[in-house]
Short mmCIF file of all heavy atoms in Angstrom, two decimals:
data_model
loop_
_atom_site.label_atom_id
_atom_site.label_comp_id
_atom_site.label_asym_id
_atom_site.label_seq_id
_atom_site.Cartn_x
_atom_site.Cartn_y
_atom_site.Cartn_z
N GLY W 5 -5.13 8.01 -13.29
CA GLY W 5 -4.48 7.48 -14.55
C GLY W 5 -3.09 6.95 -14.36
O GLY W 5 -2.31 7.04 -15.25
N ILE W 6 -2.90 6.26 -13.22
CA ILE W 6 -1.55 5.65 -12.98
C ILE W 6 -1.44 4.39 -13.82
O ILE W 6 -2.32 3.53 -13.85
CB ILE W 6 -1.27 5.37 -11.47
CG1 ILE W 6 0.18 4.87 -11.28
CG2 ILE W 6 -2.29 4.57 -10.90
CD1 ILE W 6 0.56 4.84 -9.81
N SER W 7 -0.20 4.12 -14.33
CA SER W 7 0.08 2.91 -15.15
C SER W 7 1.53 2.48 -14.85
O SER W 7 2.42 3.32 -14.84
CB SER W 7 -0.09 3.11 -16.65
OG SER W 7 -1.37 3.53 -16.98
N TYR W 8 1.78 1.18 -14.70
CA TYR W 8 3.14 0.68 -14.61
C TYR W 8 3.10 -0.87 -14.73
O TYR W 8 1.99 -1.44 -14.60
CB TYR W 8 3.73 1.04 -13.25
CG TYR W 8 3.11 0.52 -12.05
CD1 TYR W 8 3.29 -0.76 -11.59
CD2 TYR W 8 2.31 1.38 -11.21
CE1 TYR W 8 2.74 -1.23 -10.48
CE2 TYR W 8 1.67 0.94 -10.13
CZ TYR W 8 1.88 -0.38 -9.71
OH TYR W 8 1.28 -0.84 -8.53
N ASP W 9 4.25 -1.41 -14.94
CA ASP W 9 4.45 -2.85 -14.88
C ASP W 9 5.41 -3.28 -13.89
O ASP W 9 6.50 -2.55 -13.76
CB ASP W 9 4.99 -3.36 -16.26
CG ASP W 9 3.97 -3.23 -17.46
OD1 ASP W 9 2.69 -3.25 -17.07
OD2 ASP W 9 4.33 -3.12 -18.57
N LEU W 10 5.18 -4.30 -13.12
CA LEU W 10 6.06 -4.85 -12.08
C LEU W 10 6.55 -6.21 -12.52
O LEU W 10 5.73 -7.11 -12.84
CB LEU W 10 5.43 -4.90 -10.75
CG LEU W 10 6.27 -5.53 -9.67
CD1 LEU W 10 7.41 -4.68 -9.22
CD2 LEU W 10 5.32 -5.85 -8.36
N HIS W 11 7.88 -6.43 -12.60
CA HIS W 11 8.37 -7.80 -12.96
C HIS W 11 8.86 -8.55 -11.74
O HIS W 11 9.20 -8.01 -10.78
CB HIS W 11 9.52 -7.61 -14.03
CG HIS W 11 9.03 -7.02 -15.32
ND1 HIS W 11 8.99 -5.66 -15.55
CD2 HIS W 11 8.62 -7.65 -16.45
CE1 HIS W 11 8.53 -5.45 -16.79
NE2 HIS W 11 8.34 -6.63 -17.40
N ALA W 12 8.85 -9.88 -11.91
CA ALA W 12 9.32 -10.79 -10.87
C ALA W 12 10.78 -10.48 -10.46
O ALA W 12 11.61 -10.23 -11.24
CB ALA W 12 9.23 -12.21 -11.35
N GLY W 13 11.00 -10.37 -9.09
CA GLY W 13 12.35 -10.13 -8.61
C GLY W 13 12.75 -8.71 -8.60
O GLY W 13 13.91 -8.38 -8.27
N LYS W 14 11.90 -7.78 -9.04
CA LYS W 14 12.18 -6.45 -9.14
C LYS W 14 11.42 -5.57 -8.06
O LYS W 14 10.36 -6.01 -7.61
CB LYS W 14 11.90 -5.87 -10.51
CG LYS W 14 12.73 -6.55 -11.62
CD LYS W 14 14.22 -6.20 -11.48
CE LYS W 14 14.97 -6.88 -12.67
NZ LYS W 14 16.48 -6.56 -12.56
N THR W 15 11.93 -4.40 -7.75
CA THR W 15 11.28 -3.49 -6.83
C THR W 15 10.88 -2.17 -7.52
O THR W 15 11.78 -1.57 -8.17
CB THR W 15 12.11 -3.17 -5.59
OG1 THR W 15 12.39 -4.41 -4.96
CG2 THR W 15 11.46 -2.23 -4.71
N LEU W 16 9.65 -1.86 -7.56
CA LEU W 16 9.17 -0.58 -8.07
C LEU W 16 8.74 0.34 -6.90
O LEU W 16 7.96 -0.08 -6.09
CB LEU W 16 7.90 -0.80 -9.00
CG LEU W 16 7.24 0.45 -9.49
CD1 LEU W 16 8.09 1.22 -10.47
CD2 LEU W 16 5.80 0.16 -9.95
N ALA W 17 9.40 1.50 -6.80
CA ALA W 17 9.07 2.48 -5.71
C ALA W 17 8.03 3.45 -6.21
O ALA W 17 8.28 4.00 -7.37
CB ALA W 17 10.39 3.14 -5.27
N ILE W 18 7.00 3.70 -5.44
CA ILE W 18 6.06 4.75 -5.71
C ILE W 18 6.32 5.85 -4.73
O ILE W 18 6.17 5.65 -3.52
CB ILE W 18 4.59 4.19 -5.49
CG1 ILE W 18 4.39 2.92 -6.28
CG2 ILE W 18 3.61 5.31 -5.96
CD1 ILE W 18 4.31 2.99 -7.76
N VAL W 19 6.73 7.04 -5.20
CA VAL W 19 7.07 8.14 -4.28
C VAL W 19 6.20 9.31 -4.55
O VAL W 19 5.65 9.49 -5.62
CB VAL W 19 8.57 8.49 -4.45
CG1 VAL W 19 9.50 7.24 -4.19
CG2 VAL W 19 8.89 9.02 -5.82
N GLY W 20 6.24 10.15 -3.49
CA GLY W 20 5.48 11.48 -3.61
C GLY W 20 5.11 11.83 -2.17
O GLY W 20 5.18 11.05 -1.21
N GLU W 21 4.68 13.09 -2.01
CA GLU W 21 4.35 13.60 -0.66
C GLU W 21 3.08 13.02 -0.25
O GLU W 21 2.33 12.44 -0.99
CB GLU W 21 4.37 15.09 -0.72
CG GLU W 21 3.36 15.80 -1.71
CD GLU W 21 3.67 17.26 -1.88
OE1 GLU W 21 3.32 18.05 -0.93
OE2 GLU W 21 4.26 17.61 -2.94
N SER W 22 2.68 13.19 1.03
CA SER W 22 1.46 12.79 1.53
C SER W 22 0.32 13.28 0.79
O SER W 22 0.21 14.42 0.42
CB SER W 22 1.30 13.19 3.04
OG SER W 22 2.34 12.59 3.79
N GLY W 23 -0.71 12.41 0.53
CA GLY W 23 -1.90 12.76 -0.26
C GLY W 23 -1.79 12.69 -1.71
O GLY W 23 -2.65 13.08 -2.50
N SER W 24 -0.71 12.07 -2.19
CA SER W 24 -0.50 11.96 -3.68
C SER W 24 -1.19 10.76 -4.21
O SER W 24 -1.20 10.56 -5.43
CB SER W 24 1.02 11.84 -3.96
OG SER W 24 1.65 10.78 -3.34
N GLY W 25 -1.70 9.92 -3.40
CA GLY W 25 -2.45 8.71 -3.93
C GLY W 25 -1.82 7.42 -3.86
O GLY W 25 -2.25 6.39 -4.35
N LYS W 26 -0.61 7.33 -3.18
CA LYS W 26 0.19 6.09 -3.16
C LYS W 26 -0.51 5.05 -2.53
O LYS W 26 -0.62 3.86 -3.08
CB LYS W 26 1.53 6.41 -2.43
CG LYS W 26 2.37 7.61 -2.95
CD LYS W 26 3.73 7.76 -2.33
CE LYS W 26 3.66 8.03 -0.85
NZ LYS W 26 3.01 9.24 -0.43
N SER W 27 -0.95 5.26 -1.25
CA SER W 27 -1.64 4.19 -0.53
C SER W 27 -2.96 3.72 -1.09
O SER W 27 -3.44 2.65 -1.07
CB SER W 27 -1.73 4.58 0.92
OG SER W 27 -0.50 4.75 1.59
N VAL W 28 -3.72 4.81 -1.54
CA VAL W 28 -5.06 4.49 -2.25
C VAL W 28 -4.87 3.52 -3.38
O VAL W 28 -5.67 2.66 -3.55
CB VAL W 28 -5.73 5.83 -2.61
CG1 VAL W 28 -6.98 5.49 -3.45
CG2 VAL W 28 -6.14 6.58 -1.38
N HIS W 29 -3.86 3.82 -4.20
CA HIS W 29 -3.63 2.94 -5.37
C HIS W 29 -3.36 1.43 -4.89
O HIS W 29 -3.80 0.54 -5.48
CB HIS W 29 -2.51 3.53 -6.22
CG HIS W 29 -1.35 2.59 -6.40
ND1 HIS W 29 -0.30 2.59 -5.50
CD2 HIS W 29 -1.10 1.64 -7.35
CE1 HIS W 29 0.56 1.72 -5.94
NE2 HIS W 29 0.18 1.10 -7.07
N ALA W 30 -2.53 1.39 -3.76
CA ALA W 30 -2.20 0.00 -3.32
C ALA W 30 -3.41 -0.73 -2.76
O ALA W 30 -3.59 -1.93 -3.03
CB ALA W 30 -1.14 0.19 -2.19
N LEU W 31 -4.29 0.00 -2.01
CA LEU W 31 -5.54 -0.55 -1.46
C LEU W 31 -6.47 -0.96 -2.59
O LEU W 31 -7.18 -1.96 -2.54
CB LEU W 31 -6.15 0.33 -0.51
CG LEU W 31 -5.38 0.59 0.81
CD1 LEU W 31 -6.09 1.73 1.63
CD2 LEU W 31 -5.24 -0.60 1.64
N SER W 32 -6.39 -0.22 -3.76
CA SER W 32 -7.19 -0.58 -4.86
C SER W 32 -6.80 -1.90 -5.53
O SER W 32 -7.62 -2.73 -5.95
CB SER W 32 -7.14 0.56 -5.92
OG SER W 32 -7.60 1.78 -5.43
#
């Protein structure tokens, strides 16, 4: 259930310990 908006010229950091789903969400 992750939701967010990314705007042009901005950086959104996704943080959390290993296994939190960060890379899986990116590959999705």
Side-chain angles (χ1 to χ4, degrees):
I6 183 173
S7 300
Y8 63 79
D9 290 335
L10 174 70
H11 292 88
K14 299 294 183 180
T15 297
L16 171 74
I18 311 287
V19 303
E21 59 194 283
S22 297
S24 60
K26 305 185 300 295
S27 296
V28 170
H29 121 272
L31 294 172
S32 301

